Amino acid sequence: MMNQIHSIKGVKDILPDESGAWQYIQQKARDIFHTFGYSEIIIPVIEFTELFSRSIGETTDIVEKEMYTFDDRDGKKITLRPEGTASVVRAYIEHNLRDTAPFSKLYYIGPMFRRERPQAGRYRQFYQIGAEVFGIGHYMIDAEIISMLNLLFDSLNIKGVELQINSIGCPQCRPAFREALKGFFADKTSELCDNCKRRFEFNPLRILDCKSTHCHALSEKAPKTVDYLCNDCLTHFNGVQESLKTACVPYINNPKLVRGLDYYTQTTFEFIGGTLGAQNAVAAGGRYDNLVAELGGPSTPAVGFSIGMERLFSLFDSSNVTKQSPSVFIVALGEQAQQQAFSIIIQLHKEGISTVMDYNGGSLKSQMRKADKLNSAQVIIIGEDELSKGVVVLRDMQSKAQIDVPIAEVVNRLRK
Ligand code: ATP
Ligand code: MG
């Protein structure tokens, strides 16, 4: 026997019995996004590394240690995308989408790659469903995009998910907060984890996002971003909250919600799944008013989010999603019957009637068992008797009623 080859650690297969529910979730997302005026953008899986280091930030976990980066044959550094926003922004700038519409509402669905430690809810290839809006700075669009996510979760009957929101201010007011935070942690640095010791120097906001329980406890009494917001940011944040109330979207304030990517400004939010364990954020996002300009485009306000598909899937009750099963199973007994069956199945496929047949043959009993197993609604049986009479037996698997149907009429009959 040859050695068996396994999949790579941290990636997974979506098997046929799950893929129906997987598609169902994505279709729901598409339908709801379309209702809100979003169009799909299909972005590449590989980009120049610089796109991510510049947008996500050099001192973030993703860029420092999680990216799959390789040298292309011409020496250029290429990265498997760890997230979607950077690519959407690049495409928005590259194709001058700003000139083609007053504002852009875009969504994407696809795999992302991060070399993290694989564990429950954390994969190295995982899927995201994300949405971005470019060209609207008003607080109401923040509330609208959050309410869109909320509607998606409701329509998928997802229970026990809590929306947390915060505002991390803008380049005008964040320096003061940063200083206050550094002041707060200055006499605690020796107690911080190694990661946060470095964050203290380069990116102190990220200490608030640390998953270590000790750092978490240390930051309990840390200054709150909302106490340092400038007037514009405060007005914006209050507006988001009022609008969420109008939209009847429940939320709680989490003053420590700073998000792990550097490009956010003002609003940040996460949907936390109560039953998800340590990796509990099922969706996350926020406003990023400076990213388009930072990547070389015209100054453009923007807001977006991304859903972790695997985590959403694990919260979803797929038992109500009907499994794919062929409507018709053809049982043919003997070589001649099989020839007849083959011409029938070809016509049924052309009519778009999902039909299968086991060309391996076998007894009536064994083939009926297969039809049953596949959950087919109808079975066509053709044996020598039927052939000589020019008919097939059509069996309704639910009522168990059987009738003879002339061969020439069977396709027509099933079409109805
Ligand atoms: P986390 O706090 O879980 O590390 P993050 O801040 O890195 O999340 P984002 O980059 O904002 O997450 O990604 C948005 C969503 O994508 C997350 O809320 C999560 O649901 C999902 N996600 C992120 N990383 C992974 C992963 N390695 N495996 C599966 N899902 C992931
Ligand atoms: Mg992460």
Side-chain angles (χ1 to χ4, degrees), residues 369-401:
R369 228 183 351 246
K370 287 171 192 163
D372 214 34
K373 207 158 179 186
L374 289 175
N375 237 335
S376 314
Q378 313 251 16
V379 174
I380 294 173
I381 304 165
I382 316 175
E384 270 166 32
D385 254 17
E386 285 74 30
L387 269 187
S388 63
K389 285 192 275 176
V391 299
V392 304
V393 173
L394 189 61
R395 179 181 170 90
D396 185 294
M397 293 298 272
Q398 204 167 16
S399 70
K400 305 205 163 39

Side-chain angles (χ1 to χ4, degrees), residues 10 56 61-62 66 82-83 108 112-129 206 209 211 259-261 263-264 269-272 276 278-285 305-312:
I56 299 168
D61 288 354
I62 294 179
E66 296 173 358
E83 59 116 47
Y108 59 87
M112 306 295 160
F113 305 84
R114 297 184 195 174
R115 201 173 196 291
E116 306 192 70
R117 194 167 67 79
Q119 52 195 293
R122 210 180 269 308
Y123 300 92
R124 289 180 170 177
Q125 172 175 338
F126 59 100
Y127 284 75
Q128 287 188 335
I129 304 178
R206 304 273 349 265
D209 191 44
K211 303 274 175 345
R259 308 284 301 113
L261 299 84
Y263 52 61
Y264 288 109
F269 57 89
E270 281 189 356
F271 281 79
I272 303 294
L276 282 176
Q279 271 62 55
N280 59 5
V282 59
F305 67 74
S306 191
I307 307 169
M309 204 31 221
E310 289 77 6
R311 295 184 199 176
L312 179 56

Side-chain angles (χ1 to χ4, degrees), residues 56-245:
I56 299 168
E58 295 280 3
T59 57
T60 56
D61 288 354
I62 294 179
V63 172
E64 278 184 338
K65 47 191 187 208
E66 296 173 358
M67 294 202 305
Y68 282 99
T69 296
F70 59 95
D71 290 334
D72 202 352
R73 284 166 192 266
D74 60 6
K76 298 231 169 68
K77 287 239 175 298
I78 304 248
T79 294
L80 291 181
R81 64 181 184 197
E83 59 116 47
T85 303
S87 303
V88 178
V89 172
R90 181 206 39 74
Y92 177 81
I93 299 168
E94 191 167 339
H95 306 289
N96 296 313
L97 295 188
R98 197 174 121 123
D99 298 337
T100 62
F103 54 83
S104 296
K105 290 177 142 184
L106 306 170
Y107 75 88
Y108 59 87
I109 299 179
M112 306 295 160
F113 305 84
R114 297 184 195 174
R115 201 173 196 291
E116 306 192 70
R117 194 167 67 79
Q119 52 195 293
R122 210 180 269 308
Y123 300 92
R124 289 180 170 177
Q125 172 175 338
F126 59 100
Y127 284 75
Q128 287 188 335
I129 304 178
E132 323 281 355
V133 182
F134 297 98
I136 304 179
H138 199 281
Y139 60 74
M140 278 186 189
I141 193 70
D142 302 27
E144 189 195 85
I145 204 170
I146 292 171
S147 75
M148 179 167 86
L149 254 176
N150 196 62
L151 189 63
L152 175 61
F153 291 157
D154 278 352
S155 75
L156 291 170
N157 214 2
I158 306 285
K159 300 267 188 280
V161 173
E162 178 183 85
L163 166 62
Q164 303 186 350
I165 65 168
N166 192 26
S167 173
I168 58 169
C170 68
Q172 271 72 54
C173 55
R174 203 175 310 149
F177 175 69
R178 209 182 126 107
E179 282 319 303
L181 209 56
K182 284 198 91 158
F184 174 80
F185 283 112
D187 59 354
K188 302 178 182 62
T189 49
S190 60
E191 294 175 68
L192 292 170
C193 74
D194 289 346
N195 245 335
C196 284
K197 284 197 180 89
R198 277 187 320 113
R199 287 172 177 153
F200 178 79
E201 294 301 329
F202 301 109
N203 205 345
L205 258 73
R206 304 273 349 265
I207 300 175
L208 299 178
D209 191 44
C210 184
K211 303 274 175 345
S212 124
T213 43
H214 192 63
C215 296
H216 202 76
L218 274 182
S219 63
E220 199 60 47
K221 294 206 163 63
K224 296 185 166 129
T225 51
V226 285
D227 293 333
Y228 290 80
L229 297 180
C230 60
N231 272 336
D232 281 357
C233 288
L234 191 61
T235 308
H236 188 97
F237 191 43
N238 288 336
V240 173
Q241 298 185 66
E242 284 311 312
S243 306
L244 285 174
K245 284 176 191 141

